[in-house]
Amino acid sequence: MAASLPVGGGRDSSLQQYLSKRQKEISSYMDSIRSQIPIPEEFTVHEAAGHRPVGKLDFYCSKRASHCLYSDRPYTLKTKEIQPWIHLKFLHLQATSPTPVSLDDRAVQSLRKNWERQKAVGGTMTFLKLITQNFPSLKVQQSLVHQLLRASWYDMFTYDPQMGTWTCFLCSSPHKMDLLSAGERPLIEGQLKEKRVRWKLFKRWRTRYFTLAGEQLLYAKTKIGIETKSPIELSKVQSVKTVRRRDRSIPRAFEIFTDDKTYTFKAKDGKAEQWVQCLTLAMRQAKTDEEASNISSQ
């Protein structure tokens, strides 16, 4: 049950008394969900005429090593579940603060402005009521985990129990960068089944041998003699994600999204997650090389 705010005094002083009293509960709660739900470093709400506001979550790697995937540019996730993310972000601010936070704190003011922005389409809950209500329930937590699963967030980040933080898969496995830098060796290769769709009704799977090398995903009927006809250019790939049928189940398939096409593949032996990681790494490298080339040509 949520404890009520103390009676009397200004709203900020009452809030600080409330937070001081519940500091241990807040810290304990955040510790209990730390390994399941990451807290975004930045959270903003964006409005669009005629549509519900959308929350934008920006995640960065906590380790930020030399070849980190998310040190300068964040992993961004959009969500319509604004309330629980703002609530968790506030609880995180309090759990990591040695003293009760204030409504005047810059980070708290930012959350408040975002909450007021989403209230423009309806709703009467005040920001003060939001941050002092019951902690997000198990059902709400599961809903947030589902969001992260659908976005392949857990394919990109790994929880470090010793540090109590989330790091990108490259900082957790730096040897993958060595493979990419080597150039002459494929980053990953193997048989994949590609879904072919005809007339929106008939679907069939075609088995090919794929090789991720350099800035292209090449294919052939067998391992010998890679065909270079119509390879997938990684610089044109917008995103990659796994396809899961059950929560936390081992993904069997993954999708590649380009400007004008979506590719769906099935991988053997539960390697879909590994393919997604390697494709993401190579895709980032291809776009970095393209940006550098554009700058040098100017």
Side-chain angles (χ1 to χ4, degrees):
M1 296 293 292
S4 59
L5 286 175
V7 178
R11 286 187 300 175
D12 194 48
S13 61
S14 297
L15 174 63
Q16 290 189 318
Q17 290 179 47
Y18 166 85
L19 294 175
S20 179
K21 187 176 181 180
R22 302 202 69 190
Q23 176 68 28
K24 289 185 179 179
E25 292 178 65
I26 293 173
S27 297
S28 177
Y29 174 80
M30 295 305 294
D31 285 342
S32 71
I33 67 169
R34 190 189 307 276
S35 63
Q36 303 172 48
I37 302 176
I39 304 300
E41 194 161 322
E42 297 177 12
F43 180 88
T44 53
V45 172
H46 297 266
E47 301 173 273
H51 299 279
R52 286 180 56 189
V54 174
K56 182 166 128 348
L57 313 174
D58 287 338
F59 298 92
Y60 290 86
C61 175
S62 62
K63 195 169 185 179
R64 304 191 182 189
S66 57
H67 296 297
C68 181
L69 283 173
Y70 305 108
S71 59
D72 299 322
R73 290 179 290 185
Y75 180 101
T76 298
L77 173 64
K78 293 183 179 180
T79 178
K80 293 182 179 179
E81 300 294 328
I82 295 174
Q83 178 176 322
W85 284 110
I86 289 183
H87 193 186
L88 285 178
K89 180 69 174 174
F90 176 82
L91 293 175
H92 172 73
L93 290 174
Q94 181 54 57
T96 54
S97 173
T99 58
V101 297
S102 167
L103 290 173
D104 294 326
D105 291 346
R106 181 176 298 179
V108 178
Q109 286 183 343
S110 175
L111 289 177
R112 186 173 185 171
K113 287 179 181 178
N114 280 294
W115 177 247
E116 295 298 329
R117 190 173 293 130
Q118 73 86 35
K119 280 182 61 181
V121 297
T124 59
M125 182 182 292
T126 65
F127 179 70
L128 193 60
K129 185 175 181 180
L130 167 68
I131 60 179
T132 57
Q133 66 177 337
N134 292 336
F135 299 151
S137 65
L138 179 60
K139 184 177 181 180
V140 173
Q141 294 173 37
Q142 291 173 340
S143 175
L144 299 184
V145 169
H146 293 168
Q147 288 182 40
L148 295 167
L149 280 169
R150 289 194 298 270
S152 285
W153 194 92
Y154 296 106
D155 298 327
M156 299 295 106
F157 290 87
T158 301
Y159 182 70
D160 185 338
Q162 293 183 335
M163 299 294 294
T165 57
W166 292 87
T167 61
C168 74
F169 73 85
L170 188 53
C171 285
S172 301
S173 306
H175 66 278
K176 291 181 179 180
M177 190 65 196
D178 296 335
L179 288 176
L180 182 64
S181 301
E184 70 275 4
R185 295 173 57 190
L187 188 57
I188 189 172
E189 60 182 327
Q191 275 193 342
L192 297 174
K193 290 184 177 181
E194 180 185 2
K195 184 164 69 173
R196 311 290 291 182
V197 181
R198 292 186 177 182
W199 306 299
K200 297 184 179 180
L201 294 175
F202 301 99
K203 301 177 181 179
R204 64 187 180 90
W205 294 89
R206 183 178 68 178
T207 301
R208 291 287 186 270
Y209 193 90
F210 286 82
T211 300
L212 178 58
E215 299 181 359
Q216 293 180 326
L217 181 60
L218 309 173
Y219 65 89
K221 290 183 179 180
T222 63
K223 185 175 181 179
I224 302 175
I226 295 295
E227 300 172 8
T228 57
K229 182 180 179 180
S230 301
I232 298 177
E233 299 289 344
L234 298 181
S235 61
K236 297 179 180 179
V237 174
Q238 298 299 314
S239 62
V240 185
K241 72 174 186 176
T242 54
V243 178
R244 284 181 168 87
R245 290 189 176 182
R246 296 185 302 274
D247 300 342
R248 292 287 192 177
S249 63
I250 297 176
R252 296 180 57 193
F254 64 94
E255 295 175 323
I256 298 177
F257 301 89
T258 65
D259 290 333
D260 55 2
K261 190 173 182 180
T262 299
Y263 300 86
T264 302
F265 299 97
K266 276 186 180 179
K268 291 185 177 181
D269 304 322
K271 289 186 177 181
E273 184 175 312
Q274 185 178 351
W275 273 96
V276 167
Q277 291 181 348
C278 291
L279 282 163
T280 300
L281 175 58
M283 179 181 71
R284 279 294 188 101
Q285 186 64 44
K287 291 189 176 182
T288 299
D289 292 344
E290 185 178 50
E291 290 173 359
S293 176
N294 291 336
I295 291 173
S296 63
S297 62
Q298 292 177 357

